[in-house]
Amino acid sequence: ATNYENILVETRDNVALVTLNRPKALNALSSSLFHELNDALKKVDGDAAIGAIVLTGSERAFAAGADIKEMRESNYIDNYKSNFLGHWTFITSVRKPVIAAVNGFALGGGCELAMMCDIIYAGEKAVFGQPEIKLGTIPGAGGTQRLVKAVGKSKAMEMVLTGSFNLNAHEAERAGLVSKVFAPEVLVDEAVKTASKIASLSQPMVQMAKEAMNQSFEQSLANGLLFERRLFHSTFGTHDQREGMLAFVEKRKAKFNHN
Ligand code: CAA
């Protein structure tokens, strides 16, 4: 296993569990943390034994945002030339499903990182917010885009424009940002359980379904429906479709081989 300084990576059967581990800075998302995260994600995405990924932090913080101390002296032209935060988007190109298990603070870039995942589970003490405006800047990794789609315009506007209107776990669940809320101590296990259920299904089908759903954020309905239908057609060229439907008829559990 690779030795990382800011994250921990372990596998639980066919699930990879990635834990942000920079406790002194409440998992502030420094450049080196993100490079390690991207490296780990790339490896587990390419590992045929892994079917789904869980991303978590600590009970106190999922992540308290971009590293303010690291970025505060950077200037416009350096940000432009290095395409600052551009490397944060790698996680959105991961093909396997990623579940964010959010305990504690998910602020600024932390909330944005959670929203780049496919499913968000929250621990009861989770706090979601976009405080960038209070630092004299604005969200830079999807907070003005994904949050609107996740919680609707009014709540997103209030969160981003005041910087201090946060959502707790249950509010986030009611708003649709989060799909389930758990006691903090069982959150990660519950996320792993769901990830492992997903990983037991046909991996290409899971990835096609994810790919098709993500198109709903990018395309007109007509184009998205066409994209979906073409992928649906293509599933009939697979072993796993044959097996899945035969198993139903034979009243037994399907044995997918991911082909
Ligand atoms: N960057 C760098 N360091 C951070 C940090 C951050 N985002 N968040 C917390 N830390 C550090 C603190 O500086 C502190 O370090 P020291 O012990 O060396 O002083 C340590 O983590 C513990 O934090 P606090 O003492 O502040 O803990 P608290 O419990 O009193 O407060 C908190 C917790 C409310 C989350 C508070 O730390 C906070 O407001 N953090 C900043 C949140 C924020 O503004 N995030 C947005 C960042 S900008 C961004 O993300 C841009 C983008 O869109 C990509």
Side-chain angles (χ1 to χ4, degrees):
T2 317
N3 269 332
Y4 296 114
E5 279 174 27
N6 302 286
I7 64 170
L8 302 167
V9 183
E10 59 191 276
T11 53
R12 295 203 191 165
D13 297 324
N14 43 11
V15 174
L17 174 61
V18 180
T19 305
L20 306 178
N21 185 34
R22 227 192 135 202
K24 282 193 196 119
L26 302 183
N27 292 333
L29 302 164
S30 63
S31 167
S32 56
L33 182 150
F34 241 104
H35 280 112
E36 291 182 2
L37 177 61
N38 289 349
D39 184 74
L41 289 170
K42 193 170 176 201
K43 284 185 180 135
V44 296
D45 205 27
D47 181 346
I50 299 295
I53 300 159
V54 172
L55 177 63
T56 193
S58 68
E59 278 204 16
R60 193 154 169 239
F62 177 72
D67 190 320
I68 299 164
K69 292 167 189 167
E70 185 180 75
M71 75 179 157
R72 73 185 186 91
E73 307 232 56
S74 64
N75 60 39
Y76 166 70
I77 197 65
D78 288 345
N79 285 345
Y80 181 80
K81 288 204 270 192
S82 68
N83 193 22
F84 181 50
L85 300 188
H87 66 294
W88 282 32
T89 60
F90 178 77
I91 190 167
T92 65
S93 66
V94 168
R95 299 177 72 190
K96 291 170 185 169
V98 185
I99 303 181
V102 176
N103 261 322
F105 300 114
L107 296 178
C111 185
E112 292 169 310
L113 175 59
M115 290 192 291
M116 285 188 250
C117 300
D118 302 309
I119 295 171
I120 306 179
Y121 279 2
E124 260 146 14
K125 291 190 189 120
V127 178
F128 297 86
Q130 298 287 161
E132 290 90 340
I133 205 92
K134 294 196 290 188
L135 298 167
T137 183
I138 70 167
T144 69
Q145 304 298 305
R146 291 194 181 93
L147 191 61
V148 177
K149 292 179 171 128
V151 304
K153 175 175 163 177
S154 185
K155 278 196 170 66
M157 283 280 181
E158 196 167 350
M159 289 169 76
V160 172
L161 299 184
T162 68
S164 44
F165 175 65
N166 295 331
L167 299 182
N168 66 33
H170 290 290
E171 290 165 340
E173 185 188 22
R174 277 197 296 277
L177 177 63
V178 154
S179 60
K180 287 191 184 116
V181 178
F182 296 98
E185 61 278 10
V186 303
L187 172 70
V188 172
D189 287 344
E190 291 293 337
V192 169
K193 226 186 267 175
T194 298
S196 128
K197 187 178 287 176
I198 291 170
S200 75
L201 298 166
S202 167
Q203 283 190 33
M205 298 311 132
V206 165
Q207 291 174 23
M208 280 188 209
K210 167 174 168 168
E211 202 176 1
M213 281 187 275
N214 278 332
Q215 286 299 314
S216 74
F217 296 98
E218 310 290 345
Q219 301 219 22
S220 69
L221 179 60
N223 284 333
L225 290 169
L226 181 60
F227 186 94
E228 176 194 73
R229 195 181 322 127
R230 290 292 179 249
L231 278 180
F232 169 72
H233 293 161
S234 78
T235 65
F236 287 73
T238 66
H239 162 275
D240 285 350
Q241 174 274 331
R242 287 271 172 283
E243 164 62 12
M245 294 189 185
L246 180 65
F248 175 81
V249 173
E250 293 179 349
K251 300 184 190 298
R252 60 174 174 82
K253 197 170 183 291
K255 282 198 205 87
F256 295 119
N257 72 2
H258 313 297
N259 285 304

